[in-house]
Amino acid sequence: MAGSVPDVKGRAPGLPESRGAILKKLFFSTLYLSAFTFGGGYVIITLMKEKFVDELHWLDEDEMLDLVAIAQSSPGPIAVNGAIVLAYKLAGVPGILCSVVGAVLPPFVILTAVSFFYNAFRSNFVIQSLLSGMKAGVSAVIISVVLDMAGGIARSRDIILIGTMIAAFAANYFLGVNVICIILTAAGIGAARTILRERKKKKEETDGGERK
Amino acid sequence: MIYWQLFFAFLQIGAFSFGGGYAAMPLIQSQVIDRYAWLSIEDFTALVTIAEMTPGPIAINAATFAGNQVAGIPGALAATVGVILPSCLLVTALAYLYNKYQKLALIQGILKSLRPAVVAMIFSAGLNILIPALFRSGSVSFAPGNFQPLMAAYFLGALLILRLKKKVNPIAVMAGCGAAQLIVQTVMRGG
């Protein structure tokens, strides 16, 4: 882990002097956001921006955009990633601990309770009927999200991306290929394409230079 | 030991779910259902439904739920720590690199090409939930007693509402399906 605290001073006028105050605020802000935000990571990121940029002025908008890019580039839940990257920027490793505990605590408590009641109520007529109907509903929600995402990829008209999508589906659904293998293969294709493109760009630049 | 198994299974889920939200679903399925059989597909569907209706990331909800079901609160803790540990390490490393190099063309290139694979696998995980919901035996066959027309009607109705009304709340659509099924079941039991 990158150890030292990034330079905090001189960046944000609203940032309090005391480390303790920052840590406390980080903990309670992420706790609050995580406990009351429905709708997943992207919603939480927007609310974090409102809290830390617009309300507290601990960061400016451009810095926040960079942090969001990092949170989205990393694996794992985006809400947790957002909390980590923000805390790292504001208070280093102790900040990460505070904000991660704050972000994880509400779902942990809620799902522990749900898990307990799930076992007790699983055979209950009302719960069973509700859950079985909602099964159809949640399938529709997932298929709808997939349609949106797949539409975006189809519109890119990038043959390799579209081919990757079809091949990944066939490999996973029909052939039962391991999810992690598919992710690593797709990552490899992306890395190879990027390296080739950068190399081509560099070559064109030097060729262009020679012609002058 | 069960705690280590939970920890490592969820460590992999945390380390490879790129893209947030639904991206964790196929990984959870592959570890928790296919590999260790900690949850049935029925339980997993209930979990996805519950995760959709409660705040918090699905990966953490899944870790807490599966951990609790398999090994109580210590199990839930082991799984949750496992699922967030890769984030803690990778995000910090990436933030450090980002501050140093600003533009990470390679990472962006990799993410661009991960996206279609992730979409494909979310689709695959979605089908694994949809097909057992519509067909009692879990495989596509229109034999009497296997195909469930009521479920198909809820699914199509919900999908239509989601596609036609852009700003509709998915939780409301799901709750509507649940309420419809409750009413139908109550009427059928009464009659």
Side-chain angles (χ1 to χ4, degrees):
Chain A
M1 218 184 279
S4 66
V5 181
D7 49 339
V8 170
K9 272 180 198 155
R11 264 172 199 267
L15 208 61
E17 277 299 304
S18 123
R19 189 61 145 355
I22 300 177
L23 294 181
K24 220 166 106 185
K25 193 93 200 168
L26 273 173
F27 173 75
F28 284 108
S29 306
T30 52
L31 185 80
Y32 179 83
L33 289 177
S34 176
F36 295 106
T37 313
F38 292 82
Y42 294 100
V43 180
I44 288 206
I45 295 266
T46 315
L47 292 176
M48 276 179 179
K49 185 215 153 238
E50 275 171 19
K51 179 93 195 163
F52 289 98
V53 178
D54 303 338
E55 191 188 321
L56 294 171
H57 304 289
W58 285 8
L59 289 163
D60 64 43
E61 185 122 21
D62 286 343
E63 282 174 317
M64 189 68 202
L65 282 178
D66 287 349
L67 298 190
V68 172
I70 296 167
Q72 290 174 348
S73 314
S74 311
I78 290 186
V80 174
N81 293 352
I84 292 170
V85 81
L86 188 73
Y88 173 72
K89 187 100 189 170
L90 294 172
V93 174
I96 294 178
L97 275 176
C98 289
S99 69
V100 166
V101 172
V104 167
L105 213 50
F108 190 85
V109 171
I110 292 170
L111 262 287
T112 299
V114 165
S115 170
F116 178 78
F117 287 118
Y118 179 70
N119 292 339
F121 287 151
R122 197 164 19 182
S123 49
N124 176 284
F125 171 74
V126 174
I127 301 284
Q128 225 173 31
S129 301
L130 277 175
L131 275 178
S132 95
M134 284 198 288
K135 233 192 299 188
V138 82
S139 311
V141 171
I142 294 166
I143 299 297
S144 179
V145 168
V146 168
L147 286 175
D148 283 339
M149 295 173 84
I153 286 160
R155 272 192 300 276
S156 75
R157 297 190 180 205
D158 183 327
I159 298 293
I160 294 180
L161 291 187
I162 296 169
T164 306
M165 184 161 70
I166 295 166
F169 175 72
N172 185 232
Y173 193 75
F174 295 112
L175 307 176
V177 175
N178 184 283
V179 178
I180 294 174
C181 291
I182 296 174
I183 288 172
L184 291 176
T185 310
I189 295 172
R193 282 184 91 189
T194 312
I195 291 166
L196 287 176
R197 197 176 48 228
E198 296 276 304
R199 201 173 279 172
K200 203 173 149 198
K201 215 188 324 177
K202 219 168 255 173
K203 202 172 164 231
E204 273 167 9
E205 272 166 19
T206 47
D207 284 358
E210 274 164 18
R211 242 176 272 136
K212 272 178 196 171
Chain B
M1 206 174 84
I2 186 68
Y3 300 122
W4 279 112
Q5 277 183 356
L6 278 165
F7 174 79
F8 279 116
F10 277 93
L11 191 76
Q12 289 177 48
I13 294 168
F16 289 100
S17 54
F18 287 90
Y22 296 97
M25 224 169 53
L27 284 146
I28 297 167
Q29 211 171 63
S30 105
Q31 294 283 334
V32 172
I33 300 174
D34 301 343
R35 185 154 173 220
Y36 291 108
W38 284 326
L39 299 179
S40 66
I41 186 80
E42 194 82 9
D43 296 331
F44 176 72
T45 308
L47 166 68
V48 174
T49 310
I50 293 162
E52 194 76 29
M53 306 197 68
T54 53
I58 183 173
I60 292 174
N61 287 342
T64 310
F65 188 79
N68 261 306
Q69 293 287 323
V70 174
I73 290 180
L77 267 176
T80 304
V81 171
V83 87
I84 56 172
L85 194 62
S87 285
C88 292
L89 300 177
L90 289 167
V91 171
T92 316
L94 214 59
Y96 176 76
L97 288 174
Y98 199 88
N99 281 342
K100 241 181 159 169
Y101 302 109
Q102 293 298 323
K103 250 197 192 162
L104 294 169
L106 188 61
I107 288 177
Q108 277 158 0
I110 290 173
L111 284 173
K112 197 178 155 200
S113 125
L114 271 179
R115 205 173 155 76
V118 170
V119 175
M121 288 186 298
I122 295 174
F123 182 47
S124 172
L127 285 181
N128 287 337
I129 287 178
L130 174 66
I131 288 173
L134 301 188
F135 302 94
R136 195 163 278 153
S137 70
S139 55
V140 181
S141 140
F142 290 91
N146 187 39
F147 178 61
Q148 309 201 46
L150 260 180
M151 287 293 176
Y154 301 148
F155 170 73
L156 288 176
L159 191 63
L160 216 63
I161 293 171
L162 287 164
R163 299 312 294 170
L164 294 180
K165 285 187 75 178
K166 277 292 156 197
K167 285 281 172 191
V168 66
N169 183 351
I171 296 176
V173 174
M174 279 165 41
C177 290
Q181 171 73 351
L182 180 59
I183 291 167
V184 169
Q185 289 296 321
T186 312
V187 169
M188 274 166 64
R189 202 162 73 154

